[in-house]
Amino acid sequence: MRPVLALVELELKRFLADRFNLFFVFVLPLVLVGVLGLQSGGGGQGRVAVTGEEPTLGQLADRLEAAGVEVTTYPDRDAVDDGVAEGSFDLGVVAGGAEGEPVTLELVAVGAEPSPLLEPVVRTAAEQVVLAHEHAAALEEAGVDPVEAERVASAGPEGWTDAQVVVSDGDPVRAELASMGRFDLGAGGQLLLFVFLNTMTAAASTIKARRSGAMRRVMGAPVTSAQTVTGLALGRFVIALFQGVYIIGASSLLFGVDWGDLGAVVVVLAVFGLISAGLALLIGVLLDAEGPASGIAVGAGLILAALGGCMVPLEFFPDTMRAVANVTPHAWAYQALAEIQRRDGGLLDVLPQLGVLAAMALVVLAVGTVALRRSLARAI
């Protein structure tokens, strides 16, 4: 076992010693998770920029925050327009209604239609503000002190609380995606993309070892070919696992990504990593030059990730493309992660996806092992 572990350690050190790899392993995945999360606008009820006249502005902001909306208040209209145009907010609201004046509402959105999820929330909050104004006016007419009338109208009757607004959508997929955290969906896709991509690019190190004669020297040492094959395959698997665990841990700490049942996620990651390790072995044995191997690894990694739902959710694919996507391991891993992250699934819930992934892993590892054995035999 010691020679196998030594080979695993050697593979991991060789991979991490490449500064180019360090950028792709530690920096780029988190940058993409952050960028995709900021672009998505998901999470909670959304982000709204508000401006306008007091007291309507403050009351409206309070109502929106009570409904779970992330609210940012600006002193002027231009800042709201700029924020919405830049994509920093899902909707802008200009509230009119100084003391004693009727409440007016202007929505600012990119395009002709405001967000279909946020608009009803904003309208409901505005109606609550209007009702509070009318309630205060009625109390003042009844002889209640204006300050006390405003306090009572804002607080409502004893025991009364703000309504908990839940926005539903007729499309269950959209509703499911809208219920996820802002960074959750992008994190799942980037996890699969980079685990596969970075493990595949490790194929170049196998070619480098063959060309430099390192493989021949290893075979000259007191290790069997089975130990060498196991060590090299396990080395790529450890790279996949290392990359995956890093993305899971760092995205949770930096962006608060909710991965669901971590044990089930790690099992999916491990089986998925076995597939990428097997393919990396195969490329490293079949090709003789590092350049083409890296090109194929990156190209195949990106294409399979796109087909498998890592860039655009599988649910948005036409039926034909969804059928095609199922030939990729990414699609099955994506479906397993979706079950765990969105529907609180556990290991038993993703057994069908794990079964398909395990079968794929078995095939590519077997083919890769046979090819590597033949290559080692030629090196002796």
Side-chain angles (χ1 to χ4, degrees):
M1 192 62 187
R2 187 172 295 175
V4 172
L5 294 178
L7 281 170
V8 172
E9 184 181 356
L10 180 65
E11 286 294 307
L12 190 58
K13 284 182 177 177
R14 187 183 294 161
F15 180 74
L16 294 178
D18 190 331
R19 292 183 180 180
F20 190 68
N21 284 339
L22 294 182
F23 174 74
F24 281 92
V25 171
F26 293 107
V27 180
L28 191 57
L30 297 183
V31 169
L32 289 179
V33 169
V35 170
L36 292 174
L38 292 173
Q39 287 178 338
S40 74
Q45 302 283 16
R47 302 159 298 165
V48 172
V50 297
T51 189
E53 298 173 308
E54 295 291 358
T56 302
L57 175 61
Q59 293 169 347
L60 181 66
D62 291 343
R63 301 287 181 187
L64 288 173
E65 287 176 344
V69 176
E70 184 181 326
V71 178
T72 302
T73 303
Y74 287 104
D76 57 70
R77 165 68 182 268
D78 290 342
V80 171
D81 289 342
D82 292 342
V84 173
E86 293 167 358
S88 301
F89 299 100
D90 306 305
L91 193 66
V93 179
V94 182
E99 194 70 44
E101 296 180 358
V103 174
T104 61
L105 210 62
E106 181 181 352
L107 303 183
V108 181
V110 176
E113 297 292 333
S115 165
L117 295 178
L118 271 175
E119 184 187 1
V121 178
V122 174
R123 289 189 184 280
T124 301
E127 288 169 1
Q128 290 175 337
V129 172
V130 171
L131 285 174
H133 282 193
E134 291 176 348
H135 190 190
L139 289 173
E140 287 181 39
E141 286 180 6
V144 178
D145 178 75
V147 175
E148 181 64 11
E150 184 67 30
R151 186 192 68 76
V152 172
S154 300
E158 187 177 353
W160 182 83
T161 59
D162 290 331
Q164 297 298 308
V165 179
V166 177
V167 178
S168 60
D169 191 278
D171 185 341
V173 173
R174 287 184 59 187
E176 189 176 77
L177 295 178
S179 69
M180 298 180 71
R182 178 176 302 172
F183 300 98
D184 292 2
L185 181 62
Q190 298 313 303
L191 172 69
L192 300 177
L193 169 64
F194 281 95
V195 165
F196 194 84
L197 203 58
N198 284 329
T199 309
M200 290 274 282
T201 54
S205 66
T206 303
I207 297 171
K208 188 175 182 180
R210 286 167 46 209
R211 289 163 59 90
S212 66
M215 196 76 80
R216 190 177 296 109
R217 291 194 293 276
V218 168
M219 293 308 297
V223 295
T224 65
S225 61
Q227 288 174 325
T228 305
V229 170
T230 305
L232 292 175
L234 203 54
R236 273 131 196 83
F237 175 70
V238 169
I239 289 171
L241 212 54
F242 177 85
Q243 172 71 94
V245 170
Y246 169 75
I247 292 176
I248 291 171
S251 62
S252 297
L253 290 173
L254 293 177
F255 305 113
V257 172
D258 181 5
W259 289 95
D261 185 338
L262 275 180
V265 171
V266 171
V267 172
V268 173
L269 172 66
V271 182
F272 183 73
L274 286 174
I275 298 172
S276 50
L279 288 173
L281 270 183
L282 202 55
I283 293 175
V285 172
L286 295 180
L287 299 182
D288 292 323
E290 296 157 59
S294 296
I296 289 175
V298 172
L302 291 175
I303 292 171
L304 291 175
L307 277 176
C310 297
M311 299 177 185
V312 176
L314 274 181
E315 291 83 355
F316 295 157
F317 284 21
D319 291 342
T320 305
M321 282 303 297
R322 286 206 66 171
V324 172
N326 282 333
V327 302
T328 71
H330 299 67
W332 292 97
Y334 170 94
Q335 293 169 54
L337 291 181
E339 186 67 34
I340 297 168
Q341 276 189 294
R342 301 179 207 167
R343 299 156 212 145
D344 297 325
L347 200 55
L348 293 178
D349 299 305
V350 296
L351 281 181
Q353 292 89 347
L354 282 175
V356 175
L357 289 172
M360 290 182 175
L362 208 58
V363 171
V364 295
L365 279 173
V367 175
T369 300
V370 169
L372 183 58
R373 278 180 178 276
R374 290 181 177 177
S375 175
L376 291 175
R378 289 196 297 269
I380 296 175

